């Protein structure tokens, strides 16, 4: 073999080895994602996680506004309260304590439910209230009442309890442009109420004995009570309502839980 042929074979062999090495590098590169490709996936993963969190958070907030949230999350079962909310006005029902109510229309909860009003639209969660309730839950220093079917439900709150953290008068809780308003949209006043019930023999909205909170008569989760009947035996008792004495007989005593 001549020197020229040997040189040609060496060049050919070198080219073949180089091609094989290049092919191996290419194959290795095809099997392992490059750092650049990995970097492209990071924003996609972050975006997917963020989207899932947003959707889950939105779903939680929607659930938070529903009565079922209060029933599922609260430390003391809210079954009795939820039952009143789901009652049908005009039909018989049971109150939060398990007592029979001849007409659910006498309870504010089902009447408000018919208007699409949820729990948190009346029970507006305030930080101070939540902290107090949270401490009560952790320490067990809260009181409940036992229902007629031996369940336990939270004690009844006065209207002043619902408004204290909000810094508004008890009357403003109900009489405002967003709730009970006049036909022109203005907030209803006590005088407006007096005029609306002026046809009654004993007008219940006239403050003859000082200021009386709305919830002394109007009850959300039990039959509303004619407060006037505490003293006036001839007070008119609307259908489904109860007298003051009857209301006292239905109310269970608080127990420690």
């Amino acid at each position: 073999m001549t020197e020229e042929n040997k040189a040609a074979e060496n060049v050919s062999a070198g080219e073949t080895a180089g091609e094989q090495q290049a092919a191996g590098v290419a194959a290795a590169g095809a099997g392992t994602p490059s750092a650049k490709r990995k970097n492209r996936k990071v924003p996609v993963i972050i975006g997917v996680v963020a989207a899932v969190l947003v959707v889950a958070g939105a779903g939680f907030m929607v659930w938070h506004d529903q009565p079922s949230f209060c029933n599922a999350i609260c430390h003391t079962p809210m079954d009795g309260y939820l039952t009143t909310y789901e009652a049908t006005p005009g039909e018989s029902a049971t109150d939060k304590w398990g007592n029979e109510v001849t007409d659910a229309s006498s309870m504010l909860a089902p009447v408000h439910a018919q208007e699409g009003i949820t729990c948190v639209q009346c029970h507006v969660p305030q930080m101070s209230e939540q902290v107090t309730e949270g401490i009560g839950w952790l320490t067990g220093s809260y009181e409940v009442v036992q229902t007629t079917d031996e369940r336990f439900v939270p004690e009844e709150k006065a209207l002043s309890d619902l408004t204290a953290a909000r810094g508004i008068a008890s009357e403003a809780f109900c009489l405002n442009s967003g709730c009970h308003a006049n036909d022109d949209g203005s907030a209803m006043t006590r005088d407006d109420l007096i005029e609306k019930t002026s046809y009654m023999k004993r007008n219940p909205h006239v403050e003859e004995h000082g200021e009386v909170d709305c919830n002394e008569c109007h009850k959300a989760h039990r039959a509303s009570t004619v407060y006037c009947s505490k003293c006036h035996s001839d007070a008119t008792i609307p259908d489904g309502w109860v007298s003051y004495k009857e209301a006292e007989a239905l109310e269970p005593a608080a127990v420690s839980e």
Side-chain angles (χ1 to χ4, degrees):
M1 181 179 294
T2 65
E3 293 296 328
E4 291 182 356
N5 288 340
K6 287 182 179 180
E9 282 185 5
N10 290 336
V11 170
S12 178
E15 288 178 350
T16 302
E19 289 172 357
Q20 290 176 347
Q21 185 177 1
V25 171
T32 306
S34 66
K36 188 178 292 186
R37 191 174 299 173
K38 286 183 179 179
N39 289 339
R40 288 197 194 118
K41 288 185 177 181
V42 173
V44 175
I45 294 172
I46 293 175
V48 171
V49 172
V52 170
L53 291 175
V54 168
V55 171
F60 179 82
M61 290 308 298
V62 170
W63 183 42
H64 177 269
D65 290 345
Q66 304 305 312
S68 58
F69 174 85
C70 304
N71 189 50
I73 299 301
C74 287
H75 50 81
T76 300
M78 300 290 284
D79 293 340
Y81 288 83
L82 183 61
T83 299
T84 63
Y85 185 84
E86 294 176 338
T88 302
E91 297 181 3
S92 61
T94 55
D95 67 12
K96 61 184 178 182
W97 297 324
N99 301 310
E100 183 180 356
V101 177
T102 58
D103 187 346
S105 298
S106 67
M107 299 187 291
L108 295 178
V111 174
H112 283 73
Q114 293 290 307
E115 299 297 322
I117 298 172
T118 63
C119 301
V120 294
Q121 286 178 264
C122 287
H123 299 273
V124 179
Q126 298 291 315
M127 183 58 69
S128 59
E129 292 172 330
Q130 290 180 315
V131 169
T132 300
E133 291 172 357
I135 293 173
W137 174 55
L138 291 171
T139 61
S141 58
Y142 58 88
E143 292 185 327
V144 294
V145 295
Q146 187 170 14
T147 65
T148 56
D149 55 0
E150 299 185 349
R151 288 180 291 113
F152 292 94
V153 297
E155 256 196 315
E156 185 172 70
K157 286 189 175 184
L159 192 57
S160 57
D161 294 323
L162 298 178
T163 60
R166 274 154 262 181
I168 61 173
S170 295
E171 199 165 276
F173 184 81
C174 302
L175 303 182
N176 59 74
S177 58
C179 294
H180 296 283
N182 294 309
D183 294 337
D184 62 0
S186 61
M188 190 175 283
T189 65
R190 173 73 68 164
D191 289 338
D192 294 326
L193 284 176
I194 291 173
E195 184 178 348
K196 283 185 173 294
T197 53
S198 59
Y199 65 91
M200 299 179 70
K201 178 181 178 181
R202 180 175 284 105
N203 195 328
H205 295 116
V206 174
E207 297 179 306
E208 295 183 358
H209 307 293
E211 184 177 346
V212 178
D213 282 346
C214 301
N215 75 313
E216 290 291 354
C217 288
H218 302 280
K219 307 295 184 180
H221 302 283
R222 61 182 172 107
S224 291
T225 305
V226 179
Y227 184 74
C228 300
S229 65
K230 180 178 181 179
C231 299
H232 302 283
S233 59
D234 63 340
T236 302
I237 310 294
D239 292 340
W241 286 46
V242 295
S243 68
Y244 187 85
K245 187 174 291 186
E246 289 172 325
E248 280 191 311
L250 294 173
E251 186 170 352
V255 297
S256 296
E257 175 69 349

